[in-house]
Amino acid sequence: MNTAQRPTPPNRSRSRNRRSRSPKYATGSTAVFDNLWRSVSEQLPYYRSYPRLVGETGGKDFVLAHASADVDALSTALLRGAFEYQGQKCSAASRAYVPASLWPHVKARLLDDLSALKMGDVRDLSNFIGAVIDKRAYERVNGYIDTARRSGEASIIAGGQCDARKGYFVSPTVIEVLDPRFVTMQEEIFGPVLSVYVYRDEEWPEILKLVDQTSPYGLTGAVFATDRAAITEASAALKFAAGNFYVNDKPTGAVVGQQPFGGARRSGTNDKAGSILNLLRWVSPRAFKETHVPATDYRYPYMKD
């Protein structure tokens, strides 16, 4: 916050104590940013000017495939986008929408690649995936997998194994859901779990609305299609669903300084880190006027008889 504070009010210490007892949240989560925003707003009378808050929180990032999509490119993007860094990226692909005409081929390719994927110590560069960050993350991800396993609206078609004997390992997991609003399609998991909803090809217009409305987040998203009209249609329909929108590529891997990053809705303030937009967020503009021939009479010409 680029603001100077006024002298500390008498009850400031009590406010600090009250905040210190607030729930502990995961760093970078929407809950953390909400808590920061509330804490700052409680102190507004003691700031010289209104604070400016910039934050990027989480996402429920999508991959949407059109019937014209390239199967191999789509399958590769799903695997890389969902399972690189164990899916512990705010931009990780977490929900996918695949047309029925492509799903058998995409599923076969995806399962084949996953069967060859190695998991283990990150010091062995032949391993594609490692352990999740800690026990808390492990238990949270395992909980979502158990929910899918017990549900009649979802089936685990790959992975689903969790092992905490030596490190917190969760195998890359693909869940096929019957309900497009199943919990794993809506909530941020932050782990190696990809949920897939298979739709009828003719449902494309409805699917565009579904993708936009399913999640409160708006960070990243990707559309796969070789039909340019479909790409244009998806770009327009999903303009608020992803601050970083990808065409025929996985929704991760923005390079700082080359691709400004950020999303809106519950994903943050979308101030695009790495761009001039973020810099302008922090400056305070001042308009300057100097009059070289100032008025010396209050009367305007039109006031004369």
Side-chain angles (χ1 to χ4, degrees), residues 255-275:
V255 179
V256 176
Q258 296 182 22
Q259 189 178 3
F261 189 80
R265 291 181 171 173
R266 297 293 283 161
S267 288
T269 55
N270 199 17
D271 285 284
K272 288 293 184 283
S275 76

Side-chain angles (χ1 to χ4, degrees), residues 37-55:
W37 202 291
R38 280 191 297 268
S39 297
V40 169
S41 65
E42 290 172 357
Q43 305 301 322
L44 281 181
Y46 309 112
Y47 286 95
R48 181 168 293 175
S49 59
Y50 285 99
R52 302 180 185 189
L53 302 181
V54 165

Side-chain angles (χ1 to χ4, degrees), residues 33-112:
F33 197 44
D34 286 353
N35 195 42
L36 288 172
W37 202 291
R38 280 191 297 268
S39 297
V40 169
S41 65
E42 290 172 357
Q43 305 301 322
L44 281 181
Y46 309 112
Y47 286 95
R48 181 168 293 175
S49 59
Y50 285 99
R52 302 180 185 189
L53 302 181
V54 165
E56 188 265 297
T57 58
K60 189 63 180 176
D61 311 295
F62 63 86
V63 173
L64 170 62
H66 183 258
S68 67
D70 179 275
V71 169
D72 291 335
L74 172 60
S75 304
T76 299
L78 289 174
L79 190 150
R80 284 185 170 183
F83 304 126
E84 284 181 333
Y85 298 95
Q86 299 73 245
Q88 295 180 126
K89 301 177 71 175
C90 56
S91 60
S94 185
R95 54 186 172 121
Y97 304 80
V98 182
S101 61
L102 296 186
W103 177 236
H105 311 289
V106 173
K107 179 179 179 180
R109 170 65 192 272
L110 187 59
L111 296 185
D112 185 56

Side-chain angles (χ1 to χ4, degrees), residues 20-238:
S20 68
R21 294 194 296 270
S22 61
K24 293 182 179 179
Y25 304 112
T27 302
S29 70
T30 303
V32 165
F33 197 44
D34 286 353
N35 195 42
L36 288 172
W37 202 291
R38 280 191 297 268
S39 297
V40 169
S41 65
E42 290 172 357
Q43 305 301 322
L44 281 181
Y46 309 112
Y47 286 95
R48 181 168 293 175
S49 59
Y50 285 99
R52 302 180 185 189
L53 302 181
V54 165
E56 188 265 297
T57 58
K60 189 63 180 176
D61 311 295
F62 63 86
V63 173
L64 170 62
H66 183 258
S68 67
D70 179 275
V71 169
D72 291 335
L74 172 60
S75 304
T76 299
L78 289 174
L79 190 150
R80 284 185 170 183
F83 304 126
E84 284 181 333
Y85 298 95
Q86 299 73 245
Q88 295 180 126
K89 301 177 71 175
C90 56
S91 60
S94 185
R95 54 186 172 121
Y97 304 80
V98 182
S101 61
L102 296 186
W103 177 236
H105 311 289
V106 173
K107 179 179 179 180
R109 170 65 192 272
L110 187 59
L111 296 185
D112 185 56
D113 284 343
L114 285 173
S115 67
L117 185 148
K118 291 178 62 179
M119 179 171 64
D121 193 324
V122 294
R123 291 172 295 184
D124 181 351
L125 298 183
S126 66
N127 289 324
F128 185 86
I129 188 172
V132 295
I133 189 65
D134 57 21
K135 182 179 180 181
R136 183 182 178 187
Y138 173 85
E139 291 175 344
R140 184 182 65 250
V141 176
N142 195 6
Y144 280 104
I145 293 174
D146 282 344
T147 297
R149 185 177 287 116
R150 295 192 303 267
S151 174
E153 298 179 322
S155 58
I156 298 174
I157 62 173
Q161 295 83 32
C162 301
D163 189 342
R165 290 174 296 178
K166 188 176 181 180
Y168 299 106
F169 287 92
V170 179
S171 61
T173 301
V174 180
I175 301 172
E176 184 177 350
V177 303
L178 299 178
D179 179 2
R181 295 187 183 276
F182 187 68
V183 62
T184 62
M185 293 289 286
Q186 296 193 77
E187 297 183 9
E188 184 181 37
I189 300 175
F190 215 73
V193 178
L194 172 68
S195 296
V196 181
Y197 176 68
V198 181
Y199 69 92
R200 298 195 306 274
D201 292 31
E202 60 271 21
E203 291 181 312
W204 171 254
E206 290 76 21
I207 288 298
L208 291 174
K209 296 178 182 178
L210 180 68
V211 173
D212 181 58
Q213 297 171 0
T214 296
S215 170
Y217 296 104
L219 189 55
T220 73
V223 59
F224 276 77
T226 56
D227 182 336
R228 179 52 58 176
I231 294 172
T232 301
E233 187 178 10
S235 177
L238 301 172

